[in-house]
Amino acid sequence: MAYGNPEVYGANGRLSFICDTIELAGEGDIKKQYDELKKKLTKEGLFDPANKRSIPQYAHKIGVITSKQGAVIHDFLNNIGKFGFDIKMIDSRVEGQGAVEDLLGAIKTFREKDLDVLVIIRAADPWSL
């Protein structure tokens, strides 16, 4: 991915692109950061099946963390909300600046609640599929 500005030379109409930065597309810096974080969390044992709690066969009390402005919460409630589950929701940013702090705060809030499962939802970007 190249970032910069176009320039047009007025005398002959020649178009140039003045590049400020170039980043790898796909497996770039974000992929590297993801791999490093996953390696760190694996060393801490967070992906070890022995440390995971089992999901109850019949969950009734469901905590949901997502953005209330997104369509994904409406899809979730339309599909699962009609079956009588006790659903509690916390509105949180799920992408962009501040999302990590919002998500961690919501998780901490739900830790003190009596829940069977906790669901964090973010809609997929249709352009990335």
Side-chain angles (χ1 to χ4, degrees):
M1 295 177 64
Y3 299 91
N5 297 298
E7 288 187 1
V8 177
Y9 181 63
N12 63 9
R14 181 177 177 174
L15 176 67
S16 298
F17 183 76
I18 309 303
C19 184
D20 294 325
T21 59
I22 297 176
E23 296 176 4
L24 289 172
E27 291 192 16
D29 189 47
I30 292 175
K31 172 80 166 98
K32 223 186 318 183
Q33 291 175 16
Y34 168 81
D35 290 340
E36 289 171 7
L37 178 59
K38 185 174 181 183
K39 186 177 179 180
K40 176 187 170 209
L41 297 177
T42 300
K43 283 182 182 177
E44 292 178 16
L46 297 179
F47 294 113
D48 185 351
N51 292 334
K52 293 184 179 182
R53 294 186 212 165
S54 62
I55 297 175
Q57 186 172 2
Y58 301 106
H60 178 71
K61 295 175 268 183
I62 302 172
V64 178
I65 301 172
T66 192
S67 171
K68 70 178 180 180
Q69 284 81 24
V72 72
I73 187 60
H74 302 291
D75 292 342
F76 183 85
L77 293 174
N78 285 336
N79 286 291
I80 200 168
K82 61 187 172 190
F83 293 104
F85 292 99
D86 179 12
I87 300 173
K88 295 179 178 22
M89 185 199 151
I90 293 180
D91 182 32
S92 172
R93 288 177 280 184
V94 290
E95 61 182 292
Q97 295 286 9
V100 172
E101 291 81 12
D102 277 8
L103 291 167
L104 290 174
I107 291 168
K108 286 177 184 174
T109 299
F110 271 135
R111 273 194 175 156
E112 299 172 10
K113 305 287 183 197
D114 180 29
L115 296 175
D116 295 323
V117 293
L118 177 61
V119 180
I120 302 173
I121 308 172
R122 178 185 177 272
D125 178 0
W127 301 108
S128 68
L129 300 176

